[in-house]
Amino acid sequence: MEKPQIDIKYVAALARLEIRSEQAERLQNDLQNIVEYINELGELDLTGVEPTAHAAALSNVWREDEAGTPFDRDRMLANAPALMNGDLIRVPQVLPGEGMN
């Protein structure tokens, strides 16, 4: 089977990653080996094998949805690292330029 040819610089550009030239050759070989292995898996005869999402059987455990006493608001807000305007939880800035006063 012929080794798949992958243009690692093109893949990096699609993912918006900068790859140094000394990394490119190693990453190209790694990615080609991964694709080759996936192709080998595709050649397996899986006749009679049931598709699964997990190796072990899983089942959901449900509880009855019953109304209960809500938690005290002040007690819950006491766990927040910082508050704004007394009742909004302040979180660290995620995007540049989106800081709050």
Side-chain angles (χ1 to χ4, degrees):
M1 176 186 226
E2 186 179 320
K3 232 180 178 181
Q5 290 300 309
I6 296 170
D7 183 353
I8 195 68
K9 292 189 187 255
Y10 175 70
V11 173
L14 288 175
R16 291 177 170 73
L17 297 173
E18 289 184 30
I19 296 182
R20 296 189 306 270
S21 46
E22 59 267 14
Q23 294 175 307
E25 185 176 340
R26 182 181 57 83
L27 290 172
Q28 176 137 0
N29 284 335
D30 289 348
L31 194 55
Q32 284 179 193
N33 288 336
I34 290 168
V35 170
E36 185 177 332
Y37 183 68
I38 291 170
N39 287 338
E40 286 179 29
L41 291 175
E43 296 173 5
L44 293 175
D45 179 16
L46 300 176
T47 306
V49 177
E50 290 289 323
T52 59
H54 298 280
L58 299 176
S59 62
N60 288 329
V61 178
W62 299 96
R63 66 169 177 82
E64 292 298 319
D65 188 15
E66 299 172 356
T69 306
F71 290 105
D72 178 62
R73 180 182 177 84
D74 292 330
R75 186 171 161 207
M76 294 300 290
L77 289 175
N79 290 314
L83 296 176
M84 287 177 32
N85 302 328
D87 64 348
L88 299 174
I89 298 174
R90 184 180 191 118
V91 296
Q93 178 178 337
V94 177
L95 301 174
E98 299 235 345
M100 300 183 82
N101 298 328

